[in-house]
Amino acid sequence: MQRKLTYKIAFLIALFFCTSLSFSQSKKQQELEERRQELRREIQQINSLLTKNKSQQKSQLTLIEDLNYKVSVRRNLIKVTNQQANLLTREINDNQNKISELREELATLKDNYSKMIVTSYKSKSEQSRVMFLLSSSNFQQAYKRIKYINQYAEYQKEQGESIKAKTAELQVINTALLKQKADKQQLISENKVAQVELEKELKQHETLMAAINKDVSKYATQIKSRQAEASRIDREIERIIKEAIASSNAKSGTKSTSKSTAYAMTPEDKVLANSFVTSKGKLPWPVEKGIVKLRYGRQPSPIVKTIMIQSNGVRIATEKNAKVRAVFNGEVYRIIGSKNGNPSILIRHGNYFTAYSNLGKIYVKKGDKVTTKQEIGEVFTNPSNGQTMLSFSVFNNSKTENPASWIFKM
């Protein structure tokens, strides 16, 4: 009885494990699917932003930037989808091999079981069993024969249960295989559509670049002008942070020199800074919806490759009237005005600072305490081209850091 119960439990565990294994995607497959969905959402956001700004007369520079970004995301989508399809191919092959193995095992089990049933049938009569027992030479031999008869009967039942288990496992893997084949076909179909869209975008890109190449110097001047304005704002923010560091050292009584680089923190500042660091990689986006058009670091211009762009933060394209949100609890350290551009907000989080530039409206003032996701302003929308672009930076004291390391899924 105990043996039968143990076998049934083992059978149920094996069946559950098999079902879970067959119907759940592998960890790698799940990661690829999440990434694919992110890229699809990103393309939808790009299309949404481009559609909303369609009525605006965009410059060639803006158009090529938008298209460059869209092509890049589309290529990534095709790449990830191909990876998914290839992984599914390997999983399908594994399952097909597993099915072949199971069918062989099942055939062997059934063959052995049928032979055992025939043998059992030939000697199944009560008279045969009684004669088998009575022919024992002593009591001990008779006891062993009784035990053998019972074990043989139990073994028959186990073989029957084993056939049921293998049959169930085969059905589960067959079902999983059919789903995998359908998923693969869906991915192939989606990739064909994506490839057609990419070819259209590349043709548009070729046409735009041909127009730009006719007057490269004109566009190079525009790019350099943008870079100069961004660098000016970066220098101003850096200057203000260095002043804040010097001021904090003076207040704390710390000997301050021109080389002082660390903000002198109060116990409350240290708690806030530690909390900020703990949230690294989990901070919310500074706008509810947006796509990163320019990433952190030194990089060649996507239009004029010979021009290098230094980005101390990220530039996020968003929708008109988009609200700017504080990414963490802190204090508004400064509202930074600009003669040629739009204002910025600098928020301090202990010895960390976050900067939000190119704002059209400001909702806070210097000294205000802000909380995570609190609206602090509105992104400026350029009336000439309809672009709504937020520049966002993260500083550790006066040193810039990559915002993508701090913001969730940037």
Side-chain angles (χ1 to χ4, degrees):
M1 182 69 182
Q2 180 66 32
R3 188 175 178 184
K4 184 177 180 181
L5 183 62
T6 304
Y7 183 81
K8 283 188 175 179
I9 292 171
F11 165 70
L12 290 171
I13 291 172
L15 185 60
F16 173 77
F17 176 75
C18 175
T19 304
S20 301
L21 186 66
S22 300
F23 282 105
S24 63
Q25 293 176 309
S26 66
K27 185 180 178 183
K28 180 65 177 175
Q29 193 68 264
Q30 287 176 344
E31 289 172 357
L32 287 171
E33 178 59 18
E34 286 174 10
R35 180 63 183 141
R36 189 172 73 90
Q37 293 304 331
E38 283 173 14
L39 290 167
R40 289 182 69 185
R41 284 192 292 271
E42 204 166 346
I43 287 174
Q44 286 173 358
Q45 284 199 61
I46 297 167
N47 288 334
S48 175
L49 290 171
L50 294 178
T51 301
K52 286 178 180 177
N53 298 336
K54 206 168 184 180
S55 59
Q56 303 291 339
Q57 186 61 42
K58 289 191 175 186
S59 67
Q60 294 286 88
L61 206 58
T62 302
L63 286 170
I64 196 69
E65 283 176 350
D66 288 346
L67 200 51
N68 266 334
Y69 187 79
K70 197 172 178 181
V71 165
S72 172
V73 176
R74 184 87 66 189
R75 279 177 169 155
N76 278 335
L77 176 62
I78 291 170
K79 180 183 175 182
V80 170
T81 307
N82 276 333
Q83 288 174 339
Q84 267 192 286
N86 292 337
L87 185 57
L88 273 173
T89 299
R90 290 195 293 273
E91 290 178 355
I92 286 168
N93 290 338
D94 288 344
N95 273 345
Q96 285 175 332
N97 291 335
K98 182 66 176 174
I99 286 169
S100 297
E101 289 172 9
L102 279 172
R103 280 178 176 158
E104 287 177 10
E105 288 176 22
L106 192 57
T108 302
L109 276 172
K110 286 181 176 179
D111 183 55
N112 290 339
Y113 187 69
S114 64
K115 289 176 181 176
M116 189 168 55
I117 293 297
V118 170
T119 304
S120 179
Y121 178 79
K122 288 178 179 178
S123 60
K124 73 174 182 176
S125 69
E126 284 296 323
Q127 188 177 0
S128 297
R129 291 183 185 180
V130 171
M131 290 303 296
F132 179 62
L133 292 174
L134 289 176
S135 64
S136 303
S137 57
N138 54 48
F139 178 78
Q140 187 177 6
Q141 189 181 54
Y143 174 75
K144 286 183 178 179
R145 288 185 175 184
I146 290 171
K147 194 173 180 181
Y148 168 76
I149 290 170
N150 290 335
Q151 285 177 341
Y152 188 72
E154 187 64 31
Y155 179 69
Q156 282 182 310
K157 290 179 183 177
E158 287 181 4
Q159 287 296 96
E161 293 296 330
S162 183
I163 288 171
K164 286 182 185 177
K166 291 293 180 186
T167 304
E169 189 179 353
L170 190 60
Q171 288 172 343
V172 165
I173 294 177
N174 263 324
T175 304
L177 183 63
L178 290 172
K179 185 178 185 307
Q180 286 172 330
K181 286 181 176 179
D183 288 345
K184 181 183 174 181
Q185 192 55 49
Q186 178 68 24
L187 289 172
I188 291 170
S189 299
E190 286 185 18
N191 239 13
K192 284 180 180 177
V193 174
Q195 195 66 47
V196 169
E197 291 300 316
L198 177 62
E199 286 170 8
K200 288 179 184 176
E201 289 158 3
L202 287 172
K203 285 180 181 177
Q204 292 173 25
H205 185 274
E206 188 180 345
T207 302
L208 283 169
M209 283 306 297
I212 286 172
N213 287 333
K214 288 179 181 178
D215 195 356
V216 176
S217 59
K218 170 188 167 184
Y219 295 103
T221 301
Q222 289 180 24
I223 294 166
K224 288 177 181 177
S225 176
R226 280 189 190 181
Q227 179 63 31
E229 177 60 19
S231 297
R232 188 191 64 75
I233 294 169
D234 289 341
R235 286 195 301 272
E236 179 64 9
I237 292 171
E238 187 179 346
R239 182 190 68 77
I240 291 169
I241 291 175
K242 285 180 177 177
E243 279 184 3
I245 290 170
S247 176
S248 70
N249 282 304
K251 285 179 183 178
S252 68
T254 305
K255 288 185 179 180
S256 180
T257 68
S258 59
K259 294 183 180 180
S260 296
T261 57
Y263 193 95
M265 293 188 285
T266 64
E268 292 81 5
D269 288 335
K270 289 178 181 177
V271 171
L272 184 60
N274 288 337
S275 183
F276 186 78
V277 172
T278 303
S279 301
K280 188 172 185 178
K282 297 178 282 188
L283 297 176
W285 282 58
V287 286
E288 192 174 347
K289 296 178 183 178
I291 51 175
V292 178
K293 292 288 289 290
L294 180 67
R295 293 199 170 270
Y296 177 84
R298 188 171 172 79
Q299 55 207 283
S301 164
I303 298 151
V304 183
K305 301 292 183 182
T306 54
I307 298 176
M308 296 302 293
I309 296 172
Q310 177 58 45
S311 175
N312 288 340
V314 292
R315 291 182 202 166
I316 304 170
T318 185
E319 56 192 0
K320 189 176 181 181
N321 302 320
K323 302 295 186 290
V324 183
R325 313 181 299 181
V327 298
F328 199 72
N329 301 336
E331 179 185 340
V332 178
Y333 186 79
R334 186 76 63 86
I335 307 296
I336 306 169
S338 176
K339 290 181 180 179
N340 301 321
N342 297 299
S344 306
I345 296 175
L346 189 63
I347 298 177
R348 185 172 70 84
H349 318 273
N351 63 329
Y352 285 87
F353 294 82
T354 50
Y356 313 75
S357 302
N358 194 38
L359 305 183
K361 292 180 182 178
I362 306 287
Y363 298 161
V364 291
K365 62 183 184 300
K366 181 180 178 180
D368 282 355
K369 300 289 185 183
V370 295
T371 56
T372 305
K373 289 189 177 182
Q374 179 181 328
E375 292 179 356
I376 58 174
E378 194 175 294
V379 188
F380 174 76
T381 298
N382 189 325
S384 63
N385 59 25
Q387 272 201 326
T388 307
M389 191 83 69
L390 174 73
S391 292
F392 174 75
S393 306
V394 178
F395 295 82
N396 178 355
N397 289 302
S398 60
K399 184 181 177 183
T400 62
E401 295 204 357
N402 188 351
S405 301
W406 291 88
I407 305 299
F408 181 68
K409 287 188 177 181
M410 184 169 272

